[in-house]
Amino acid sequence: MIKTFKLVRKIPGQKMHVYITIVGDTLVDTGPYSLHKQVKNIVKEHQIRNVIHTHHHEDHTGNSPWIEEHLMVPQWIHKDGVTKCMNNTKLPFYRSVFWNNRKSFNPMKFESSEFHTKEHTFKILHTPGHSDDHVIFIDEEKGICLSGDLYLYHSPTSHFSFESVPELIHSLNKALNYNFQEIYCSHGGYLPNGRRLMERKRDYLLNLQEKVLTHFQKGMSPAEIREMLLPKNKAFQYLSGFENSPMHTIRSIIEHT
């Protein structure tokens, strides 16, 4: 049985949803420390024997140090995330306000391309683009994908400075080579038509990439392309000091394609 739990982080003028998922006795990500009370209550109500992480970001590993100290169960992450987790985070102000900094902990790297629970065999797919260590988990027999932050929403107009749109497209194509219909998204929850939504995101980014490169080859600057294709700023972009911005979307396409 798969259970998903919706957590809500509110600050003045902004609200963010986080979902954590439990598959049998395995917890998928541990949520941000800013929501530690809710996470601890959920964990205490279930017999957690393993923790698997989609990636190292603080909204996915924030309660992992507490779990390490109090539950002492094995925790796993992609090999590129191990060292990142062994250090305290030093977040930009807006991220620390939303999620709080995370203390260090000591996960193990996945030793296999699969992870088994009592009722599921998940293929572990490395899907960088949002982070270098991002992975998703797919059970093809049951048609399920635990998608972390790979999907999020189907038509993003801005990205973080550390993200790569071409890598995201590659990772979306990689995921879509496998059989699944349902996804469990870390910020969107359970999506029964998740495959179609993931296809929409892939197609949207491919179309955007083609437009950006066409205009760039015609001699337009990144700023001019941004003004033409993605002219609007949203409140979160101001809050992030434009670490999240349409300009990062444009530049990542031009620089990494």
Side-chain angles (χ1 to χ4, degrees), residues 3-246:
K3 298 180 180 180
T4 188
F5 301 86
K6 180 180 179 179
L7 311 174
V8 181
R9 174 61 171 157
K10 296 179 182 179
I11 65 171
Q14 290 288 316
K15 180 171 68 173
M16 295 283 280
H17 298 151
V18 178
Y19 292 80
I20 61 172
T21 300
I22 295 177
V23 185
D25 60 4
T26 297
L27 177 64
V28 184
D29 291 334
T30 66
Y33 187 74
S34 59
L35 296 171
H36 67 277
K37 291 181 181 178
Q38 296 96 312
V39 173
K40 289 176 184 178
N41 287 337
I42 292 167
V43 168
K44 288 175 180 177
E45 291 173 2
H46 297 80
Q47 288 191 323
I48 301 301
R49 300 185 185 278
N50 297 281
V51 178
I52 54 177
H53 295 96
T54 60
H55 60 301
H56 72 280
H57 285 167
E58 66 280 357
D59 51 327
H60 296 258
T61 60
N63 297 289
S64 300
W66 179 86
I67 287 174
E68 179 176 81
E69 180 180 357
H70 294 275
L71 299 187
M72 295 176 286
V73 299
Q75 300 192 59
W76 311 84
I77 200 166
H78 184 269
K79 63 182 178 64
D80 291 344
V82 171
T83 300
K84 293 178 174 69
C85 292
M86 294 171 67
N87 296 295
N88 297 342
T89 61
K90 297 179 181 178
L91 299 174
F93 176 73
Y94 77 97
R95 283 169 65 183
S96 67
V97 167
F98 262 113
W99 307 130
N100 294 173
N101 275 289
R102 171 193 43 75
K103 294 181 180 179
S104 64
F105 71 108
N106 299 280
M108 296 179 288
K109 67 179 181 180
F110 289 112
E111 297 287 357
S112 169
S113 60
E114 294 183 343
F115 188 87
H116 298 266
T117 70
K118 184 177 180 180
E119 296 185 358
H120 297 272
T121 295
F122 289 104
K123 291 182 171 68
I124 304 172
L125 301 186
H126 186 210
T127 51
H130 174 69
S131 70
D132 292 343
D133 64 326
H134 196 282
V135 300
I136 62 173
F137 306 95
I138 296 178
D139 180 341
E140 288 196 283
E141 182 180 347
K142 293 183 171 61
I144 292 166
C145 174
L146 312 177
S147 63
D149 281 355
L150 180 61
Y151 168 64
L152 296 181
Y153 33 85
H154 56 71
S155 54
T157 58
S158 66
H159 289 82
F160 289 99
S161 58
F162 50 77
E163 292 182 297
S164 166
V165 171
E167 275 197 327
L168 283 168
I169 292 171
H170 178 77
S171 290
L172 288 162
N173 276 325
K174 184 177 183 179
L176 290 165
N177 283 328
Y178 292 82
N179 176 50
F180 65 91
Q181 294 299 325
E182 306 169 11
I183 68 174
Y184 289 81
C185 173
S186 294
H187 295 281
Y190 171 65
L191 302 171
N193 61 336
R195 181 182 186 86
R196 180 61 195 129
L197 293 172
M198 201 175 280
E199 289 172 342
R200 284 181 66 184
K201 179 172 183 175
R202 187 269 316 272
D203 294 345
Y204 166 83
L205 290 177
L206 279 171
N207 183 55
L208 179 62
Q209 179 175 256
E210 181 180 3
K211 289 179 179 178
V212 169
L213 292 176
T214 297
H215 290 307
F216 184 67
Q217 289 161 4
K218 290 179 179 179
M220 293 181 68
S221 70
E224 290 170 331
I225 297 170
R226 184 249 201 253
E227 187 62 30
M228 174 179 286
L229 298 179
L230 304 170
K232 295 182 179 180
N233 286 320
K234 297 182 179 179
F236 181 70
Q237 288 148 28
Y238 290 102
L239 181 64
S240 74
F242 292 96
E243 185 185 38
N244 182 284
S245 168

